[in-house]
Amino acid sequence: MESADPRRPESRFDTFRDRLRQLYHGRSPTALRFRLAVTIVDLLIIAFFIATPVLRDASTFLWIDYSVAVIVALEIAARFLASSNMLRLLRQPAVILDLFILVTLLAPQWLENFGFLRILRLWSLSQKGVIWAQLRRTPYRDWENVARALINILTFLFVVTGFVFTFFFREAGGLAGYVDALYFTVATVTTTGFGDITLPGTAGKLTSIIVMIVGISLFVKLAQALVRPNKVTFPCPECALQRHELDAVYCKACGHKLKIPDDSD
C-alpha cells in the first residue's frame, strides 16, 4: 500500500507570510520599493508625532491619532508575520519601543504625558537597514556616519522639546508654547544660554543640566562625524569590521586581506 504524502499543501496564510518575508527581507526591486514606501509612511507618522502638541486641541486630532494607531499596528503585525522567530523579534529594543508607542496612540488621553516619547520612532526608523543600504549605493555613502549622528541629535532635540512642552509650557499651549519649548531646548543644548526662557524650580534646573550634558555629547559626536576622515563600508569576511580606510588592503582588526571594490574600475 502506498504511503500518504506527509507534506501538507501550503495554506493561504503560509503563502501570505512567505510573501511578507520576501517584501521585508528580499532584495528584489519590488521588495525595495515596498520598504521605501514603508519608510515614507514612517516619516509622515513621525511628522505627526512632532506636530502633536500643536494639533492636540484640534477637533480631528483623535481621528488622526487612531488612524495612525491602526497603521502602526498593521506594520508591527506584518513585521511579526514576516519574522521567522517572533520571540527574538519581540526582544528587540526597536520593537518594544514601537509597541509602547502603539499603546500611547490607543490611549492618548490617559497617556498624554508620555506622548513626547513617540518621537523616539525616528531613532527606531534609523535602525532599519533599508535606509543605509540605499545610501551606500549612492555617491553619498561616505555620509552615513554623519546622517546617523544627525538623526540622533534631531531625535534628542524633539524628544526633549516634547518633554519640556508637556511639563513646563503646556499652559501656554498651541504653537507658541511649542516654539518656546523648542527654543529653550536648542539654546540649552548648544550652551548658548540667553536666559530669556528658563525652567522654574528644582525640576527645571535638573532638566536643564541633563539636557546640556547629553546634548553637548551628541553635538560632539556630530562634529566628529563631520571632520573624521572618510572611510568605506565593507564588512571584513573574517571579523565583520564594517569601516575601513579608503585604501585599506588588510583589516586593521584581524589582518585579513580585504578585496574592497574600487568604484573607478
Side-chain angles (χ1 to χ4, degrees), residues 162-180:
F163 173 83
V164 171
F165 175 83
T166 299
F167 293 99
F168 295 96
F169 289 96
R170 177 170 290 182
E171 291 183 0
L175 182 61
Y178 190 78
V179 170
D180 284 345

Side-chain angles (χ1 to χ4, degrees), residues 46-99:
I46 291 167
F48 166 71
F49 291 161
I50 293 173
T52 292
V54 180
L55 300 175
R56 189 178 298 277
D57 295 330
S59 58
T60 58
F61 173 76
L62 286 180
W63 287 99
I64 300 174
D65 188 273
Y66 290 135
S67 298
V68 171
V70 171
I71 295 172
V72 172
L74 290 175
E75 200 275 331
I76 293 174
R79 267 188 286 162
F80 272 96
L81 291 175
S83 175
S84 58
N85 190 330
M86 294 186 183
L87 289 178
R88 183 175 63 184
L89 181 65
L90 184 60
R91 291 193 293 267
Q92 294 182 3
V95 175
I96 297 173
L97 174 62
D98 286 343
L99 290 172

Side-chain angles (χ1 to χ4, degrees), residues 178-240:
Y178 190 78
V179 170
D180 284 345
L182 178 60
Y183 174 81
F184 165 83
T185 302
V186 174
T188 304
V189 167
T190 58
T191 65
T192 304
F194 290 120
D196 51 343
I197 296 180
T198 58
L199 303 185
T202 303
K205 292 177 181 178
L206 291 175
T207 300
S208 301
I209 292 171
I210 294 172
V211 171
M212 283 186 281
I213 293 174
V214 178
I216 196 62
S217 301
L218 292 175
F219 266 116
V220 168
K221 287 188 177 182
L222 177 59
Q224 288 176 342
L226 286 169
V227 302
R228 185 179 296 161
N230 288 334
K231 292 187 178 183
V232 62
T233 300
F234 180 81
C236 172
E238 185 69 23
C239 69

Side-chain angles (χ1 to χ4, degrees), residues 25-146:
H25 307 295
R27 297 185 178 181
S28 67
T30 301
L32 291 177
R33 285 195 295 268
F34 170 79
R35 293 199 291 271
L36 286 175
V38 171
T39 300
I40 292 173
V41 173
D42 277 336
L43 290 173
L44 293 175
I45 291 174
I46 291 167
F48 166 71
F49 291 161
I50 293 173
T52 292
V54 180
L55 300 175
R56 189 178 298 277
D57 295 330
S59 58
T60 58
F61 173 76
L62 286 180
W63 287 99
I64 300 174
D65 188 273
Y66 290 135
S67 298
V68 171
V70 171
I71 295 172
V72 172
L74 290 175
E75 200 275 331
I76 293 174
R79 267 188 286 162
F80 272 96
L81 291 175
S83 175
S84 58
N85 190 330
M86 294 186 183
L87 289 178
R88 183 175 63 184
L89 181 65
L90 184 60
R91 291 193 293 267
Q92 294 182 3
V95 175
I96 297 173
L97 174 62
D98 286 343
L99 290 172
F100 172 78
I101 290 172
L102 178 59
V103 173
T104 66
L105 286 166
L106 293 173
Q109 296 174 325
W110 295 343
L111 299 174
E112 61 179 350
N113 286 344
F114 297 96
F116 67 93
L117 292 174
R118 297 175 182 177
I119 304 170
L120 286 171
R121 189 172 173 88
L122 180 59
W123 171 83
S124 177
L125 178 62
S126 72
Q127 304 306 302
K128 295 182 179 180
V130 61
I131 299 176
W132 312 118
Q134 294 302 308
L135 182 64
R136 290 166 192 159
R137 297 180 181 181
T138 71
Y140 306 102
R141 58 184 176 274
D142 294 334
W143 289 84
E144 179 179 339
N145 285 343
V146 176

